[in-house]
Amino acid sequence: MSAIASNLQAVRARIATAAKAAGRSPETVQLLAVSKTWPLSCVLEAAAAGQRSFGENYVQEGVDKIVETAARRLEWHFIGPLQSNKTRLVAERFDWVHSIERLKVAERLSAQRPAYLPPLHVCVQVNVSGESSKSGCAPDETRALCEAVSRLPGLRLRGLMAIPEPTDDYASQCLPFRQVREIYNRIQAAGLPLDTLSMGMSHDLEAAIAEGATIVRIGTAIFGERNYA
Ligand SMILES: *Cc1c(COP(=O)(O)O)cnc(C)c1O
């Protein structure tokens, strides 16, 4: 078995254990393989091991992989910061965007989503790390942004995404995830049909699943340490 295949097996086992510990069925947690910085060959290796959904942070790198794997019917999620001058390729090529933090970007994605494709699935990114993070919308602005995004015809609002500050302590990992879930619950109670909580990475997927994650975004534990050089 290849290293990527055995890493995938180990990550799926971690997800199943965490889900059962939380009294949840493992099928309620989707594994997104974050392939940013890794070559196409790694995506193909993961796909050969049964992985269907992949996450990318950089538009051109992601689009290149999407084009090269078009025949395989993989699902592609854009999860990185998105500037408004880069929305067109994302609207034309990706299936999901997790990192909506401004209405302007959402409006452009909606307008640029080709009519022959289904609406782009999107999550609003919430900043639960305060001053230390520049990404995501403020918790108290999340509901208004979700309501505006939910009215855009080219998009289908699915839920919330968050990237808390990394910490090793389990209880500290849970706190921001719980905060995201509480915001999510309030928006759901206000009538928006959300079904997705995109939270949890290689080092904190157990805490995220305990707090209700439905998509975990895993890079390092599948592909190894990234080298940005
Ligand atoms: C890189 C990245 C991940 C994957 O992180 P790992 O720690 O390698 O699992 C998940 N989500 C986002 C938004 C990322 O940028």
Side-chain angles (χ1 to χ4, degrees):
M1 199 192 294
S2 76
I4 288 174
S6 71
N7 289 346
L8 269 170
Q9 207 170 63
V11 170
R12 290 189 196 116
R14 280 176 67 189
I15 291 171
T17 302
K20 285 183 198 133
R24 304 176 53 192
S25 155
E27 292 79 56
T28 63
V29 184
Q30 186 191 348
L31 171 57
L32 182 66
V34 178
S35 46
K36 67 178 178 216
T37 77
W38 294 101
L40 180 67
S41 58
C42 293
V43 171
L44 297 178
E45 222 175 291
Q51 181 63 30
R52 307 318 300 166
S53 8
F54 292 86
E56 289 284 336
N57 284 52
Y58 310 104
V59 176
Q60 194 56 54
E61 179 190 349
V63 168
D64 289 346
K65 290 174 188 167
I66 292 170
V67 169
E68 286 167 303
T69 58
R72 292 167 193 267
R73 308 202 166 276
L74 303 177
E75 186 179 88
W76 291 92
H77 297 231
F78 188 81
I79 62 174
L82 183 54
Q83 292 153 358
S84 43
N85 61 351
K86 296 264 181 71
T87 50
R88 180 172 296 278
L89 275 175
V90 172
E92 290 175 350
R93 295 292 185 172
F94 280 83
D95 303 295
W96 282 69
V97 174
H98 293 223
S99 42
I100 300 288
E101 49 185 341
R102 286 185 297 138
L103 185 57
K104 184 181 172 197
V105 168
E107 285 170 342
R108 289 178 64 93
L109 288 169
S110 175
Q112 293 167 343
R113 181 68 169 172
Y116 58 84
L117 291 176
L120 185 63
H121 301 276
V122 299
C123 292
V124 164
Q125 183 175 351
V126 189
N127 175 8
V128 281
S129 302
E131 294 289 294
S132 61
S133 167
K134 288 183 287 298
S135 291
C137 82
D140 60 358
E141 290 163 7
T142 306
R143 180 172 153 187
L145 180 55
C146 283
E147 284 169 348
V149 168
S150 73
R151 292 186 212 105
L152 297 172
L155 308 186
R156 178 162 166 225
L157 178 66
R158 298 294 298 270
L160 303 180
M161 183 272 239
I163 314 172
E165 260 186 293
T167 161
D168 288 336
D169 170 60
Y170 181 79
S172 317
Q173 289 176 352
C174 288
L175 285 175
F177 291 139
R178 192 169 311 153
Q179 195 188 342
V180 179
R181 195 194 55 204
E182 283 164 2
I183 297 167
Y184 174 89
N185 288 345
R186 283 198 292 274
I187 295 171
Q188 249 186 351
L192 291 185
L194 308 185
D195 64 5
T196 300
L197 269 173
S198 167
M199 52 189 202
M201 307 183 7
S202 292
H203 66 285
D204 59 9
L205 72 88
E206 284 82 4
I209 289 170
E211 297 300 336
T214 66
I215 298 182
V216 291
R217 309 177 310 269
I218 310 298
T220 308
I222 297 172
F223 298 106
E225 294 289 341
R226 283 179 295 276
N227 179 357
Y228 289 96

